[in-house]
Each structure stands twice: as C-alpha cells, then as structure tokens.
Amino acid sequence: MDIRQVAKQARVSTATVSRVINASAPVSEKTTERVRRAIIKLDFYPNSHARTLGSGKSRIYGLIISDITNPFFPELVKSFENIAVQHGQEVIVANTDYNVDRMELCIRRMIERKVDCVAIMTTEMEPSLADMLNQRRIPVVSLDTGTVGKTSSNIEVDYKGGIEKAVEHLVGLGHTRISFISSYLNNLKSTQMRSDAFLDVMRRNGLSIASSLVHTERESAEGGRSAMDQLLQMKSPPTAVIGVNDVTAIGMLEAIRHAGLRVPEDFSIIGYDDIAISAFMNPPLTTVHIHREELAKCAFNALYSVSQCGGSGRTYKIDTALIVRESTAAPRQNDELTPRQ
Amino acid sequence: MDIRQVAKQARVSTATVSRVINASAPVSEKTTERVRRAIIKLDFYPNSHARTLGSGKSRIYGLIISDITNPFFPELVKSFENIAVQHGQEVIVANTDYNVDRMELCIRRMIERKVDCVAIMTTEMEPSLADMLNQRRIPVVSLDTGTVGKTSSNIEVDYKGGIEKAVEHLVGLGHTRISFISSYLNNLKSTQMRSDAFLDVMRRNGLSIASSLVHTERESAEGGRSAMDQLLQMKSPPTAVIGVNDVTAIGMLEAIRHAGLRVPEDFSIIGYDDIAISAFMNPPLTTVHIHREELAKCAFNALYSVSQCGGSGRTYKIDTALIVRESTAAPRQNDELTPRQ
DNA sequence: ATGAAAGCGCTAACAC
DNA sequence: GTGTTAGCGCTTTCAT
C-alpha cells in the first residue's frame, strides 16, 4: 500500500496526493476530497521513512536523559513530548544510564535516525560529543554543560540558588550542624554543582563543614539510606541533612524511621527536585523545586527557534524554589537520640 | 556523507560497504579492513531511514504504555529496551494517557514508522485497533486483552491471585471490614479485573461488601487521598483498605496521616504493583508484586519468536506475589478513631 | 568475493 | 492546479 495506489484510486498523480497529505501546495477542493476518500478507503498510512528520505527532514526531535527510572525524568519527557506534538514533531528518547559511553551510543542513534534537533537533559557529557552534532548542524540544547554557539544553546538551572534557600531555611530554624548527602556520580555536573554550592553557602554562613559531605555509592533511595545510616553512627550527628535529590532524601527518611527516630523532631531533611511523590511522604518532604514543565518548554523552544526560525543559540535560565513542607523544624535540643519505644 | 563516499574512499562498490556494515555476505579480510577504515575516517553513520526503506524492515519494536509518569511503566520500559537492544532492535515508546483515542494515534504512529512488532502494555484497548496491526501482519502482544492468533499473543497477569492473597492476608490478620479503592478509569481492564476479583474473593470469604468499593476520580495519589477521605467520614469505617495500585495506596496513606491516624494501628493498607518507592514509604507498604522485568521479557519474547522464528501467537502467564511489609497488622479493637496528640 | 543496477515510497523541482 | 520525474541513501538480486 503506497502513495501510488492512492493516486490511482483518486485518479491523480502521486505529487497531488503528497500535496494534500502535506498541505504543501494548493489543491482544488474537489481533488482534495477525492484524495481524502481514497486515503480512507485504502486505509493508507504514509511511510515515514520514505518521507524522511524524500524530504531530508525527519520531524523528529531527540531527547537524551539519564534514566527513565529516576522520577525526575518521566515528567520531563512527558512535557517535552506534549510540546513537540503540538508543533507537529515526534520525539525519540534515549537513556544514558549515567554513562558516558552510552551517551556516545545515544548520539549515534540520534544521528542515524536523522533527528532534526536534540535535547541533552543529562549532565554526563563529553563536550566532544556535542561536536558530533554541531558538525552535522543539528541544533542542540544542553543542561548546565555545553557551550553556546550558532546552533547550540544551554540551559542553566539555578542549583546554587536552591541550595542557598535550603541552607538558609535551616539556619533560620536554628540549625548549625548540617550535612549534605551527595552521590558517587560526581562526574555529573548537576550533582557537582549542588555539592559545591552547599560547601560555599555553608562557608558563607560561617558554618563548619567537617564531615558534612557524605557520598553514597549510588544515586538512589538505597544510596540515601546507607549514607544516612553512616551519619547515624556519628558521636554527634548533624541536626539537618540535605539530599542531592528527592530520591536520596526518601532513602534518608527510611533510614531514620528504621532507627526508630523521627523527622522533623530528630532530624530535619530537605530534598531536591520536588518529584511528585515527595508531597506524599510521611512527613511530606521539604524540597527544592525545579520546574520540569518549564524546563521542557525552554529546551524545546531553544531548539525550535534555531531549527525553524533560524535563530541562534543562546543561554536560558531556570529558577528553583524552596518548597517548605513538614520534614523541617527547629533542631532537637539535646543529642540524646532516643529511639521511640 | 553517504555510503557512496565510503565506497569511493575504500575503492569498492556500495554493495560491498553495505555487506560489511550488515555482515550480510562474506567479504574478504582485506576489503573489510579497508571499508572499516573508510567508515571511521569519514565518520560515516548509516541513515536508518534509507536502510529501512531499502530492506523493508525497520528493526524497531513499538511499545505502547499508558503514561510514563505512572511509576509502573518506567521500569517496564527500561527492561523492554534492554532486551530489545540485546537483540539488535530499537524501541519507540508511545503514551496513550489512558485514552482510547490516543491509542489510535499511537497505533498510527507505529504503522507509519513501520515497526516490526508492537507490545501494547496498556489495557485501554479497542479490539478493532489491534486488527489494524494484524491486517498489516505486524506481530502484537497485549496485556489481558486481545485475542491470540497467528501473529498476536496475549499475556495474562494473575491479578486475581494477587487480590486473593491480599484479602486472605487481611482475613488471616482478623479483618472483616475491608474496602477496595478503585479508579474511575474502569474501562481499564486491569482495573476492572482487580475490582471484580476483590468482590469475588470477599464474597467467597463470606464478607460483606457493602460500600466497600470506592471509586476515585483519577488514578493517582490524589485520587487515593480523596477516596480515603471519604472512607474516613463513615460512621464505621473499614479496618483495612486495598488500593488498586501503589500510587493510589500512597495517597491513602497520606489521607490517614493527615487525619492524625496511623497505619497499621488504625488501618491496614495494601497496594498493588510494588513500585520501587513503596518499600520506602512510612510505613513500608505491603503490596502485590508484579514482576516488571519478567513481564517485559515475556512481551519481547512473544514478539521476537513470531517475528524472527516464525512462531505462532500464544498465551503467556505472569504471576503475582504478596509482599508483606509494615502497613498491615491486626485490626484496631474499637472504632474510637482518635487522632494522635 | 565483488560490482552494476533496480528498486524501496515519498518529496520537490520543474513543466504545463 | 496538476502531472512528470529525478532523486533521497540504502539493500539486494543478478551477474561476473
């Protein structure tokens, strides 16, 4: 079943069929109708590969993320897809699994599939990889990494501002012994930036940062749990702990619960990202919000403007906000960490 | 940059280049090496659309899910992709948003993209839609819905067994007033099957099911929360509640916490799916486990065996298991639902 | 083992 | 407004 059969059925040329499908040139009312009917009658679906080959553009946007299993990403993917569909584009998504080698594979796939643009929403990035895209004049937008150029844009998330607000919230509550649980994945720029910001803000507030940075083995709830377990072993544990992301913070919550201690009475906990489930934790998690929908929109627009409107690459900024829920309170008065019952 | 340039650089024909890329026919050691070098030197990436058009097969598997934002799916997607990649196939995923109309769009996309097979892992399905695929001889595997035929397989998840185990666990604990919170999305067969099974098992255990089935407006944590709020208004609320899935159960947990009541002391709660986060709830959620990885494997194999090995469609079964954690216990002794503090 | 050439299904010039 | 036709980049007979 191809366009020729439709053409025959409608008694027109293949070009005309193509015209009505793509509305790429005026076709008379009558012919259009005949073609439409033929398409329906024959149950014709145009072959997108042939279209891509014929026209030179795939109408596909590539989206590279770290791991669809990390709750931060599904919402991002969904928003990005929605916007893309509204603009008549499709999207294919690829996972790097936080792995630079797999990033190369992802980019290869994007090139082979002839995507029109690609959004790299991960931070495990070799700059050289973006070059592969640039050389082929494929517009790119990246997160916190990557340079701005003719066809490449960069989105800067205000990680630092988020950390600042979190630490200051804690300081305002009276905390002075504050820890930060990061992940071993420190080649991730987003993680690195959060850690650095934490150190910086602590310093600025004149707070000691001795042993206040703990690295988990994996960026996950498990990681948060085991890191918090470590903290619990200390002679004089912190009174507040910030997690590098919500999933980590959720693991921390579990470690504390398991030790028979309470949040926020015994520990104040803050997460980062504001994933949907965080509001449903017990207690609801105070966290730094990154607006995923806005991020997705921003990424798409960055791409669309250079791809369709011939714009040039530029820098975009995304804000963060502290969402105060119930996992933070004034610090415990003494260090008698007595498990409940 | 196309295969012809590579051919020229390696001083061979395009056919030979194609042969070394695809290992589709023997090529001498020497020539192979020359071609390899040329490919690397020119940084050549084959155009997958041209490949698809030329060969007639896309090496793409389609995967249709309801909503990537529902934590049940990301793990499924990831597993499915991993297996597919191991078999040299790619996958494109499409979301229906629990909507039959969008399902049609998804299937259209799959056909236009000339996928080799499609896994329909949602249950909001018009049988007629699967026919579109069948007519085109595209192998299909579906979940609990769909018929088995030459090229179409069906996976039956033992929802009922899961509900049985859940109810019996509760009955064993001494509960008699048990409710089930379902969702308004009752056109979903998976939801329907869980509700039906619940009613059935309750009856068989001689338990009253008066007002024990509550329908939420949305299949989400919000839905679970508002449904549980309703239950909390009753003069004599149930002592145990089963959620149609974990996300719903998590919402229920929050409603109870917010009312100043406790799980499992005041209410026993059971979820369904066993999403990763459930083990990190406070308290950790007792739930019915569906093995996502096995499900993904099963779906892929069902497809692969008919697509590559000329097998015929058949029925597969996936078990469920009750994971007892800390959200279930013996029922409260009296109905004095007194908020803590 | 290798090359020549005919498609694959569509789009886009270019004619009329 | 519509038709003709030459590609798009690859695969795949069919020769050799």
Side-chain angles (χ1 to χ4, degrees):
Chain A
M1 174 51 49
D2 62 24
I3 208 176
R4 273 196 312 263
Q5 311 222 39
V6 177
K8 186 188 295 179
Q9 168 80 30
R11 287 169 292 117
V12 295
S13 69
T14 60
T16 297
V17 176
S18 175
R19 287 181 188 114
V20 349
I21 290 173
N22 299 294
S24 52
V27 176
S28 81
E29 189 76 3
K30 285 192 119 96
T31 329
T32 302
E33 193 48 37
R34 277 218 311 291
V35 172
R36 288 249 157 73
R37 256 194 251 293
I39 288 176
I40 289 169
K41 175 164 183 198
L42 301 178
D43 202 19
F44 168 73
Y45 288 57
N47 179 324
S48 74
H49 303 283
R51 296 230 264 184
T52 299
L53 204 52
S55 68
K57 44 203 340 295
S58 63
R59 302 139 179 249
I60 300 177
Y61 275 43
L63 175 59
I64 300 181
I65 61 175
S66 297
D67 175 14
I68 191 65
T69 262
N70 174 338
F72 177 78
F73 291 108
E75 292 174 57
L76 183 65
V77 170
K78 195 174 188 180
S79 298
F80 192 87
E81 276 184 343
N82 284 153
I83 307 167
V85 167
Q86 282 167 28
H87 289 77
Q89 309 290 137
E90 292 211 38
V91 4
I92 63 182
V93 359
N95 296 255
T96 62
D97 278 334
Y98 305 103
N99 178 328
V100 177
D101 291 344
R102 293 211 26 166
M103 172 63 91
E104 185 165 356
L105 282 177
C106 289
I107 293 189
R108 164 178 289 272
R109 271 182 55 190
M110 296 299 165
I111 295 174
E112 292 183 347
R113 294 230 169 271
K114 286 274 170 286
V115 296
D116 292 341
C117 302
V118 10
I120 304 180
M121 295 289 103
T122 77
T123 49
E124 55 281 10
M125 203 36 200
E126 286 288 331
S128 64
L129 293 177
D131 285 346
M132 295 173 55
L133 267 2
N134 285 330
Q135 279 167 28
R136 290 174 170 77
R137 311 187 160 282
I138 301 173
V140 179
V141 60
S142 28
L143 210 50
D144 304 310
T145 169
T147 48
V148 173
K150 189 82 200 78
T151 58
S152 48
S153 300
N154 192 44
I155 299 178
E156 289 175 7
V157 175
D158 184 21
Y159 294 117
K160 183 153 189 179
I163 292 288
E164 256 166 24
K165 288 167 210 149
V167 171
E168 279 158 16
H169 168 62
L170 255 16
V171 168
L173 252 20
H175 292 270
T176 53
R177 294 209 310 285
I178 305 172
S179 287
F180 185 85
I181 293 184
S182 182
S183 75
Y184 87 117
L185 297 160
N186 240 352
N187 51 333
L188 294 202
K189 204 165 170 193
S190 57
T191 298
Q192 184 70 58
M193 288 171 80
R194 294 176 197 190
S195 302
D196 289 352
F198 173 73
L199 261 18
D200 196 45
V201 176
M202 287 291 278
R203 223 173 272 123
R204 245 191 301 146
N205 280 272
L207 297 175
S208 149
I209 56 171
S211 75
S212 61
L213 206 58
V214 180
H215 292 265
T216 74
E217 294 164 28
R218 327 190 320 143
E219 180 153 359
S220 70
E222 282 299 344
R225 167 151 64 183
S226 64
M228 190 69 214
D229 278 342
Q230 278 179 245
L231 249 30
L232 256 16
Q233 303 306 316
M234 292 171 66
K235 51 268 135 218
S236 181
T239 58
V241 190
I242 300 175
V244 69
N245 58 35
D246 283 354
V247 177
T248 298
I250 288 169
M252 289 153 49
L253 249 25
E254 165 60 12
I256 295 170
R257 189 198 72 87
H258 193 255
L261 299 170
R262 290 166 305 171
V263 174
E265 292 84 348
D266 298 317
F267 289 96
S268 283
I269 299 295
I270 299 185
Y272 211 113
D273 285 348
D274 193 23
I275 60 179
I277 210 75
S278 295
F280 287 88
M281 288 295 112
N282 178 3
L285 190 65
T286 294
T287 186
V288 177
H289 177 85
I290 299 178
H291 201 313
R292 248 105 51 229
E293 195 175 333
E294 198 179 314
L295 179 54
K297 248 181 220 162
C298 180
F300 184 85
N301 289 337
L303 258 16
Y304 196 77
S305 70
V306 354
S307 166
Q308 307 280 318
C309 317
S312 177
R314 42 164 290 216
T315 297
Y316 298 81
K317 305 221 179 235
I318 294 286
D319 275 344
T320 51
L322 182 69
I323 310 290
V324 177
R325 288 199 275 247
E326 301 172 36
S327 66
T328 44
R332 59 181 182 274
Q333 290 307 325
N334 56 47
D335 256 12
E336 309 269 331
L337 248 24
T338 47
R340 279 189 293 181
Q341 63 144 342
Chain B
M1 174 55 47
D2 62 24
I3 208 177
R4 271 195 315 262
Q5 312 222 38
V6 177
K8 184 187 296 179
Q9 167 81 27
R11 287 170 290 115
V12 296
S13 70
T14 60
T16 297
V17 177
S18 176
R19 287 182 187 114
V20 347
I21 290 174
N22 299 294
S24 52
V27 176
S28 82
E29 189 77 4
K30 286 191 119 95
T31 326
T32 302
E33 194 47 38
R34 275 218 313 288
V35 173
R36 287 249 159 73
R37 257 195 253 292
I39 288 177
I40 290 170
K41 175 163 182 199
L42 299 179
D43 201 21
F44 168 71
Y45 288 57
N47 179 325
S48 75
H49 302 282
R51 297 231 263 185
T52 298
L53 202 53
S55 68
K57 44 205 335 299
S58 64
R59 302 141 179 245
I60 301 178
Y61 276 42
L63 175 59
I64 300 180
I65 61 177
S66 297
D67 176 13
I68 191 64
T69 263
N70 174 339
F72 178 78
F73 291 109
E75 292 175 56
L76 183 65
V77 170
K78 196 175 188 179
S79 298
F80 192 87
E81 276 184 344
N82 283 153
I83 308 167
V85 167
Q86 282 166 30
H87 289 77
Q89 309 289 137
E90 292 210 38
V91 5
I92 63 181
V93 359
N95 296 254
T96 62
D97 278 334
Y98 306 101
N99 179 327
V100 177
D101 292 342
R102 294 212 24 167
M103 172 63 92
E104 186 165 356
L105 281 178
C106 290
I107 293 190
R108 164 177 288 271
R109 271 181 57 187
M110 296 298 167
I111 295 174
E112 293 183 348
R113 295 229 170 269
K114 285 273 170 289
V115 296
D116 293 340
C117 301
V118 11
I120 304 180
M121 295 288 102
T122 78
T123 50
E124 55 282 12
M125 202 36 200
E126 285 290 328
S128 65
L129 293 178
D131 285 346
M132 296 172 54
L133 267 2
N134 286 329
Q135 280 167 26
R136 290 175 170 76
R137 309 186 160 285
I138 301 173
V140 180
V141 59
S142 28
L143 210 50
D144 304 309
T145 169
T147 48
V148 172
K150 189 84 200 75
T151 57
S152 49
S153 301
N154 192 43
I155 298 179
E156 289 176 5
V157 174
D158 185 22
Y159 293 118
K160 183 156 188 175
I163 292 288
E164 256 167 23
K165 289 167 209 148
V167 171
E168 278 158 16
H169 168 62
L170 255 15
V171 168
L173 251 20
H175 292 270
T176 55
R177 293 209 311 283
I178 305 173
S179 287
F180 186 86
I181 292 183
S182 182
S183 76
Y184 86 118
L185 297 160
N186 240 353
N187 51 333
L188 295 201
K189 203 165 171 191
S190 57
T191 298
Q192 184 71 57
M193 290 172 79
R194 294 175 196 191
S195 301
D196 289 351
F198 174 73
L199 261 19
D200 196 45
V201 176
M202 287 291 279
R203 223 173 271 120
R204 246 190 303 145
N205 278 274
L207 297 175
S208 148
I209 55 170
S211 74
S212 61
L213 206 57
V214 179
H215 293 265
T216 74
E217 292 164 29
R218 329 192 320 144
E219 181 155 357
S220 70
E222 281 299 343
R225 167 151 64 185
S226 64
M228 189 70 213
D229 278 342
Q230 278 179 244
L231 249 31
L232 256 16
Q233 304 305 317
M234 292 172 66
K235 50 271 135 212
S236 180
T239 58
V241 189
I242 300 176
V244 70
N245 58 36
D246 283 355
V247 177
T248 298
I250 288 169
M252 288 153 49
L253 251 25
E254 166 59 12
I256 295 169
R257 190 197 71 86
H258 193 254
L261 300 169
R262 290 165 308 168
V263 174
E265 293 84 346
D266 298 318
F267 289 95
S268 283
I269 298 295
I270 299 185
Y272 212 114
D273 285 347
D274 193 22
I275 60 179
I277 210 76
S278 295
F280 288 88
M281 287 295 113
N282 177 4
L285 190 66
T286 293
T287 186
V288 177
H289 177 85
I290 299 178
H291 202 314
R292 248 103 55 227
E293 194 175 333
E294 199 179 312
L295 179 54
K297 252 181 214 158
C298 180
F300 184 85
N301 289 337
L303 258 16
Y304 196 77
S305 70
V306 353
S307 167
Q308 306 281 315
C309 316
S312 178
R314 43 165 290 221
T315 297
Y316 298 81
K317 305 221 180 236
I318 294 285
D319 275 346
T320 52
L322 183 69
I323 309 289
V324 177
R325 287 199 275 247
E326 303 173 36
S327 66
T328 44
R332 59 180 183 274
Q333 290 308 325
N334 56 47
D335 256 11
E336 308 269 331
L337 249 22
T338 48
R340 280 189 290 180
Q341 65 140 339

